Amino acid sequence: MLRRIRNRLSKKLKSINKMSDKQNAQKSAKIAAGAVVCVESEIRGEVTIGARTVVHPKARIIAEAGPIVIGEGNLIEEQALIINSYPENIAPDSEGVEPKTMTIGINNVFEVGCMSQALKIGDNNVIESKADLGRNMILTSGCIIGACCQVNTCEVIPENTVIFGSGCQRRVQTERPQPQTLQLDFLMKILPNYHHMKKTVKTTSAVTPAKN
Amino acid sequence: MASLLQPDRVLYLVHGEKKIRSSLSTLYFCRYCSELRSLECVSHEVDSHYCPSCLENMPSAEAKLKKNRCANCFDCPCCMHTLSTRATNIPAPLPDDPSKTAMKKAYYLACGFCRWTSRDVGMADKSVASGGWQEPDNPHTQRINKLIEYYQQLAQREKLERDRKKLARRRPYMPLAFSQHTIHVVEKYGLGTRLQRQRPGAPITSLAGLSLKEGEDQKEINIEPAQALDEVEPLPEDYYTRPINLPEVTSLRQRLLQPDFQPAGASQLHPKHKHLLIKRSLRCRKCEHNLMLYYFSVRIMSIPNLRFQKECQVLLTLTNPVESITHVTLVGCEEGDPEDINSTAKVMVPTKELVLAGKDAAADYDELAEPQDFQDDPDVVAFRKSNKIGFFIKVVPQREEDGDVTVSFKIRHDFRNLAAPIRPSEEDDAPTEAIWLTHHVELSLGPLVA
């Protein structure tokens, strides 16, 4: 009788352990096969990185207030900061705050030293060096945020917009910026020669992390 | 010396028409007058024209022909930066065999700052890297040229009539050709304002090409007067109701940079050739020689905390740019010195003469060089390094106010003018005679610390 109770208890403990293991496993980054992510980059929280994405050393992807999903073919250069952080007026521990997912599309370029907090970024965008994107921005596709431009409005940037200059002037260009395929191929060949890479996870669909 | 980040801490006084105090990097030195000059006491002249991006030098006549624009470089019509040429590969049919396609290079202009490209306005890609780009023609060019010719002719005719009147008053044996040398002709209609500044007596050579020889028939140019129209094109019907497409509207600056067309829409903004810049030559107004940059500089090395009424030591450095030994004496400003208006602190300068070694270009490489023997008072001289010397001055801030502590004194040093003409050998002077120059220097040492 006691043995049966003990066995049942131990089985329950094992299953609880397995569940917590699974939850713990989702807290680390899910890097798809074919992505090149250097060990010196800092990735915290639930981050999913798509194939053919290159993350340079010293890039930081921090998912504090929710998961980050990064698509394919993106180029995230040194000292870039992609952060899903709590908005300023909400304390981190208050309840009732739903974690919002930050989605980043394909073929985007995050140049050196930029900071992006925008929750939704489409495809083929270029965020130039030291640019600063606020949390309430939504970038569609083909947008270029110029160097040192701080954009913190609550709006959807239409397609093919260029934001440039110290006054953040805008204009619309006729064609979207070309995807950096040559640069990505070059980096995927060269970076592994000089840096260690983070381990990739073989997943069939690298889109959303599965929940229990 | 002034640097980009610390512009005006050491100021020199210039004795010109106005007393100007400015830092050494903006001052010039006239070797013949042996005086400091600032930008306001010199005369500026146009030396040459050059393009700021390709640095091509152009003589003034060519620049005038090309309307002061560079032939190769373009400005972005959107943000006014320099455009760069980019190449792409496009498949194009081979001239021999239309069915096969080969990759050919096509060039287009692009701006690195605002990402404007020449394809945005519909300009086709060119197959040559440079020289293929043309500015669109002004539709009014012919009329403008005709008007200019007519008015130039009118100006000439008026000038000749004026000269003839003057000649009628003069003695009759003076040849008619002499009338071209009149100086005080004010030319209308843009034949050059430089004529007004030329000195009396110099012949006006630029008019020589325009002068008519006696006996030549003048070509009569007739222009039609401009016609006023009664009917004006009406505005389109939806002018007030059509929503504005804001990215398409050009800004005033973009519009006015192209005065020929002044396009209202961004899809008509064509790139313009880059404007040339001028290299100035500066001349001393008194002796008409060219100037050089002054080189003898005092730098502030380190400042301790300045406290009110407490004596502290400031370390200054002096650099000797010439190759001979220089002697420097510092003299404090006396009471009631008319030049000493800005100082807020008392300064005690070293009374001894400081000796600076010459600049030896090979000193870094010459290991066997003997160390120079200068007996330095350790209270005065902090360190000595080839042609630099560091010395202390004592500063006692006098006024307890919010501004910077300023200190002024005079520097006296000897200067050898190597560029002056050698005097005839009748005098027994040494070929390079030393002149003693005195400058009034003001140092701004920063705010007081309580």
Side-chain angles (χ1 to χ4, degrees), chain B residues 37-100:
Chain B
R37 299 252 177 261
S38 79
L39 268 184
E40 302 209 6
C41 0
V42 299
S43 58
H44 306 232
E45 276 177 8
V46 171
D47 190 40
S48 61
H49 298 262
Y50 69 97
C51 169
S53 68
C54 64
L55 297 181
E56 184 197 340
N57 258 320
M58 253 192 248
S60 306
E62 194 187 333
K64 207 169 162 194
L65 259 185
K66 293 195 184 163
K67 308 210 173 146
N68 288 338
R69 305 256 172 190
C70 176
N72 303 328
C73 308
F74 286 91
D75 269 344
C76 173
C78 184
C79 64
M80 294 83 188
H81 278 66
T82 314
L83 289 176
S84 50
T85 314
R86 297 215 190 132
T88 53
N89 281 325
I90 49 162
L94 278 176
D96 306 329
D97 204 351
S99 56
K100 286 191 201 162

Side-chain angles (χ1 to χ4, degrees), chain A residues 126 128 144 162 164-165 171-175, chain B residues 78-79 88 113-117 119-120 247:
Chain A
V126 176
E128 289 189 3
I144 299 186
V162 180
F164 64 98
R171 55 171 287 273
V172 178
Q173 52 176 10
T174 47
E175 43 187 40
Chain B
C78 184
C79 64
T88 53
F113 188 60
C114 68
R115 309 268 179 151
W116 180 92
T117 61
R119 293 170 177 168
D120 285 351

Side-chain angles (χ1 to χ4, degrees), chain A residues 75-96:
Chain A
L75 177 56
I76 303 172
E77 297 190 353
E78 287 88 347
Q79 300 193 357
L81 171 60
I82 303 178
I83 178 166
N84 187 356
S85 64
Y86 294 101
E88 283 168 8
N89 50 357
I90 301 181
D93 292 330
S94 60
E95 300 186 356

Side-chain angles (χ1 to χ4, degrees), chain B residues 11-207:
Chain B
L11 298 178
Y12 285 71
L13 178 67
V14 176
H15 299 268
E17 293 163 359
K18 296 185 246 178
K19 306 258 181 204
I20 298 175
R21 289 168 164 76
S22 67
S23 71
L24 207 56
S25 52
T26 55
L27 292 179
Y28 300 91
F29 185 68
C30 179
R31 284 178 287 191
Y32 300 90
C33 310
S34 299
E35 270 179 25
L36 278 178
R37 299 252 177 261
S38 79
L39 268 184
E40 302 209 6
C41 0
V42 299
S43 58
H44 306 232
E45 276 177 8
V46 171
D47 190 40
S48 61
H49 298 262
Y50 69 97
C51 169
S53 68
C54 64
L55 297 181
E56 184 197 340
N57 258 320
M58 253 192 248
S60 306
E62 194 187 333
K64 207 169 162 194
L65 259 185
K66 293 195 184 163
K67 308 210 173 146
N68 288 338
R69 305 256 172 190
C70 176
N72 303 328
C73 308
F74 286 91
D75 269 344
C76 173
C78 184
C79 64
M80 294 83 188
H81 278 66
T82 314
L83 289 176
S84 50
T85 314
R86 297 215 190 132
T88 53
N89 281 325
I90 49 162
L94 278 176
D96 306 329
D97 204 351
S99 56
K100 286 191 201 162
T101 58
M103 299 302 278
K104 233 173 56 166
K105 281 218 161 167
Y107 299 93
Y108 63 97
L109 294 171
C111 173
F113 188 60
C114 68
R115 309 268 179 151
W116 180 92
T117 61
S118 57
R119 293 170 177 168
D120 285 351
V121 286
M123 289 168 75
D125 297 348
K126 304 279 185 245
S127 48
V128 275
S130 62
W133 303 100
Q134 302 291 336
E135 279 186 23
D137 283 326
N138 186 356
H140 307 292
T141 320
Q142 273 197 347
R143 168 95 177 142
I144 293 179
N145 282 341
K146 225 178 163 193
L147 282 172
I148 290 181
E149 273 181 34
Y150 175 73
Y151 281 112
Q152 272 180 358
Q153 210 190 54
L154 196 60
Q156 271 180 46
R157 227 182 284 163
E158 286 184 4
K159 182 177 94 62
L160 277 178
E161 280 179 17
R162 217 179 302 147
D163 289 344
R164 227 171 267 149
K165 278 188 211 162
K166 270 199 204 101
L167 216 60
R169 283 184 253 136
R170 277 190 197 176
R171 285 157 267 176
Y173 58 81
M174 270 211 178
L176 205 61
F178 204 81
S179 71
Q180 292 161 18
H181 293 289
T182 51
I183 318 159
H184 40 274
V185 169
V186 177
E187 280 295 330
K188 297 189 264 186
Y189 308 122
L191 290 175
T193 52
R194 280 197 61 197
L195 306 173
Q196 300 177 21
R197 287 196 52 209
Q198 283 194 0
R199 294 168 213 123
I204 303 176
T205 47
S206 55
L207 278 185

Side-chain angles (χ1 to χ4, degrees), chain B residues 244-284:
Chain B
I244 296 180
N245 181 10
L246 209 55
E248 177 69 12
V249 177
T250 52
S251 73
L252 261 186
R253 186 155 187 242
Q254 290 167 350
R255 233 180 266 198
L256 294 176
L257 275 177
Q258 308 204 0
D260 309 354
F261 304 99
Q262 295 183 29
S267 50
Q268 282 129 38
L269 278 177
H270 286 268
K272 285 222 117 183
H273 284 283
K274 206 162 180 64
H275 218 80
L276 297 177
L277 295 182
I278 284 183
K279 213 154 108 175
R280 304 184 281 206
S281 81
L282 301 163
R283 283 179 184 276
C284 174

Side-chain angles (χ1 to χ4, degrees), chain B residues 265-305:
Chain B
S267 50
Q268 282 129 38
L269 278 177
H270 286 268
K272 285 222 117 183
H273 284 283
K274 206 162 180 64
H275 218 80
L276 297 177
L277 295 182
I278 284 183
K279 213 154 108 175
R280 304 184 281 206
S281 81
L282 301 163
R283 283 179 184 276
C284 174
R285 278 197 196 147
K286 290 187 194 160
C287 63
E288 303 289 339
H289 284 110
N290 274 327
L291 303 172
M292 61 189 248
L293 283 171
Y294 197 51
Y295 45 69
F296 200 84
S297 59
V298 174
R299 266 186 237 208
I300 301 181
M301 190 84 174
S302 81
I303 307 174
N305 283 327

